[in-house]
Amino acid sequence: MSNKAEIPSKKEKILFTPGPLTTSYTVKQVMLRDLGSRDYEFINIVADIRQRLLEIGGVAGDGYEAIIMQGSGTYCLESVVSSTIPPGGNLLVIINGAYGRRIAQIAKVHNIEVVPLSYPENQVPDLAEIHLTLSTNKNITSVAVVHCETTTGMINPIKEIGEIVKQFEVDYFVDAMSSFGAIPINLAECGIDYLVTSANKCIEGVPGFGIILAKRDSLEKTEGYAQTFSLDLLAQLRRLENDGQFRFTPPTHTLIAFHQALLELQAEGGVEGRATRYRSNYETLIAGMRTLGFQEYLKPEDQGYIITSFPYPDHGNFDFEEFYQRLNEKDFVIYPGKVSQADCFRIGSIGRIYPSDMKALLLAIQETLESMEIDLSENTLQQKPGNQESLLKI
Ligand SMILES: Cc1ncc(COP(=O)(O)O)c(C=O)c1O
């Protein structure tokens, strides 16, 4: 056996994942230069990024601030949880997937009392129960929910939840990691105090930092709450406001790429334009997968166009690792499942991919099933007649 490490393939793979995602060539290309973190050009880029993010959230000039935090999206979740909850405050976390559970885990690490409202992963949270919990527990100072629960692809009703939360004058915190930039969200209309997303999701940048959109009044009241030094949200805002710089080394190349990604989002028609492309990706995917004999884990009315979970087909030859590997060898990268109560895999519709990429993936899945001697045509026949089209027609 050779001791040599395998040389990684330089071929372009297409990512059908929840992120990092396939990015445009031009987003990657702009990283081929070095800018110092104190360079006026870099500082201007950061200021423009912050302004554009507020515009995407519908709150430019409306009492909100965009704060960039080094690290991945989870660092930003931790920054909000550990910086904005007053001593002795309780956090109500609405949980119907792994990312809701993660917010609760973060709070526990910081010794913040968590009031969990947990639902099965295929169930939308119960609004009446949220109302009742807030009416009966006066220690709750913040409510957290995930917008697109990337575990399944479910879209939680953040506006309806926000209307309830605001009746109780507590903070409202939304993890919009995998939806911001692709699903229109107006923070003020939803009553959101803190929203978190990351560079490498629907704005189609590369990984390296996350973003917190914060209501200024709410954040200013948190002086002295921060439980960590590096993730102190108010301190991060103050430094960005004082001299446009970061407290610690920023991911300069990632920020330059993100700025380009924002220009490309605008050129595509903003959030609406991006939503149109992602929705066609999703519709192409669903039609093709049903034709191949797969079914979605969620009910169509709960399913968003960001990412879809498919239960493993009931066939003796199906082995996810092998299925994944064979698709990977064809340069199509899908994603393992995260649903705790069912064996699923996931396919994302986001990133710089188009319906033509979806069609190519579907043909690769068809070939892969054939090579694994898996025939799911019985499932297809059980579905509605409209779903029995040929893949070529999609
Ligand atoms: C809804 C949601 N929250 C949190 C995260 C964690 O983000 P990161 O892996 O960037 O820390 C993800 C990642 O996919 C996500 O989809």
Side-chain angles (χ1 to χ4, degrees):
M1 214 170 102
S2 155
N3 285 333
K4 274 194 204 151
E6 210 176 296
I7 299 167
S9 154
K10 286 213 175 107
K11 274 193 294 183
E12 287 284 346
K13 294 189 187 235
I14 311 180
L15 308 181
F16 298 88
T17 67
L21 304 169
T22 297
T23 54
S24 70
Y25 180 76
T26 33
V27 162
K28 292 185 265 283
Q29 193 181 35
V30 290
M31 288 189 287
L32 293 173
R33 68 190 290 234
D34 306 309
L35 272 182
S37 60
R38 288 162 177 264
D39 187 308
Y40 73 92
E41 192 184 340
F42 177 70
I43 289 173
N44 287 342
I45 286 176
V46 171
D48 194 48
I49 288 175
R50 293 180 55 220
Q51 178 61 25
R52 284 172 184 271
L53 287 167
L54 293 175
E55 283 161 14
I56 294 171
V59 286
D62 213 5
Y64 281 80
E65 300 298 337
I67 306 160
I68 295 164
M69 185 68 76
Q70 298 93 327
S72 79
T74 305
Y75 291 60
C76 294
L77 298 176
E78 185 146 12
S79 172
V80 173
V81 170
S82 65
S83 303
T84 67
I85 297 176
N90 290 8
L91 175 65
L92 168 60
V93 190
I94 299 163
I95 302 171
N96 57 356
Y99 293 105
R101 280 194 291 280
R102 183 174 294 181
I103 296 175
Q105 275 174 327
I106 293 170
K108 284 182 189 152
V109 168
H110 293 282
N111 291 318
I112 292 164
E113 188 78 33
V114 172
V115 180
L117 259 187
S118 298
Y119 299 92
E121 288 164 343
N122 56 358
Q123 195 177 309
V124 180
D126 179 343
L127 298 179
E129 197 173 5
I130 297 169
H131 191 281
L132 183 68
T133 310
L134 283 164
S135 330
T136 50
N137 190 332
K138 295 296 167 199
N139 293 329
I140 294 169
T141 50
S142 306
V143 175
V145 70
V146 178
H147 186 205
C148 172
E149 195 22 287
T150 324
T151 308
T152 53
M154 179 175 297
I155 305 298
N156 283 319
I158 54 168
K159 189 150 188 271
E160 290 79 355
I161 296 173
E163 277 160 16
I164 296 170
V165 172
K166 287 299 122 179
Q167 293 169 29
F168 295 89
E169 291 181 12
V170 297
D171 279 346
Y172 186 30
F173 168 27
V174 175
D175 171 351
M177 207 71 76
S178 60
S179 58
F180 191 76
I183 300 182
I185 304 174
N186 180 304
L187 275 84
E189 279 175 22
C190 295
I192 298 172
D193 295 283
Y194 303 100
L195 176 145
V196 166
T197 189
S198 92
N200 58 271
K201 300 281 192 199
C202 298
I203 295 172
E204 300 185 358
V206 300
F209 68 90
I211 296 138
I212 299 118
L213 298 185
K215 192 169 183 203
R216 190 167 187 107
D217 282 356
S218 310
L219 183 59
E220 274 176 347
K221 286 187 205 134
T222 65
E223 183 77 59
Y225 294 174
Q227 299 195 46
T228 74
F229 180 64
S230 56
L231 298 175
D232 183 332
L233 190 57
L234 189 54
Q236 188 85 346
L237 173 65
R238 291 212 166 121
R239 182 67 199 266
L240 281 167
E241 285 189 334
N242 283 349
D243 59 6
Q245 292 183 29
F246 286 80
R247 296 161 71 216
F248 316 112
T249 305
T252 45
H253 298 78
T254 302
L255 280 154
I256 296 169
F258 191 71
H259 190 248
Q260 175 65 23
L262 284 167
L263 298 178
E264 293 178 14
L265 174 65
Q266 186 183 14
E268 193 172 9
V271 176
E272 295 291 346
R274 185 139 302 173
T276 304
R277 172 163 58 89
Y278 286 179
R279 205 179 287 112
S280 354
N281 288 345
Y282 163 74
E283 282 162 4
T284 308
L285 174 73
I286 293 300
M289 289 298 274
R290 288 180 184 170
T291 303
L292 290 172
F294 290 94
Q295 278 156 8
E296 306 92 88
Y297 174 67
L298 291 180
K299 287 188 267 174
E301 60 270 29
D302 298 334
Q303 172 70 59
Y305 49 82
I306 302 290
I307 190 162
T308 311
S309 289
F310 295 95
Y312 289 178
D314 187 14
H315 191 287
N317 284 357
F318 187 83
D319 172 74
F320 176 71
E321 277 312 313
E322 192 181 336
F323 180 64
Y324 173 89
Q325 218 34 64
R326 287 185 188 217
L327 284 171
N328 201 14
E329 276 157 22
K330 296 178 195 286
D331 297 327
F332 295 100
V333 183
I334 62 164
Y335 219 61
K338 220 173 166 65
V339 174
S340 51
Q341 297 124 356
D343 283 330
C344 291
F345 61 88
R346 289 178 288 172
I347 300 184
S349 314
I350 56 179
R352 190 41 66 112
I353 52 174
Y354 295 86
S356 54
D357 296 305
M358 283 297 179
K359 288 181 193 163
L361 170 68
L362 289 162
L363 284 174
I365 292 177
Q366 185 174 33
E367 280 167 20
T368 303
L369 290 176
E370 279 161 17
S371 71
M372 290 171 77
E373 296 179 6
I374 299 172
D375 180 0
L376 304 177
S377 53
E378 263 190 28
N379 298 358
T380 314
L381 294 175
Q382 282 162 17
Q383 291 182 22
K384 292 183 214 100
N387 296 334
Q388 293 171 23
E389 308 159 62
S390 138
L391 263 191
L392 295 173
K393 278 205 249 156
I394 292 164

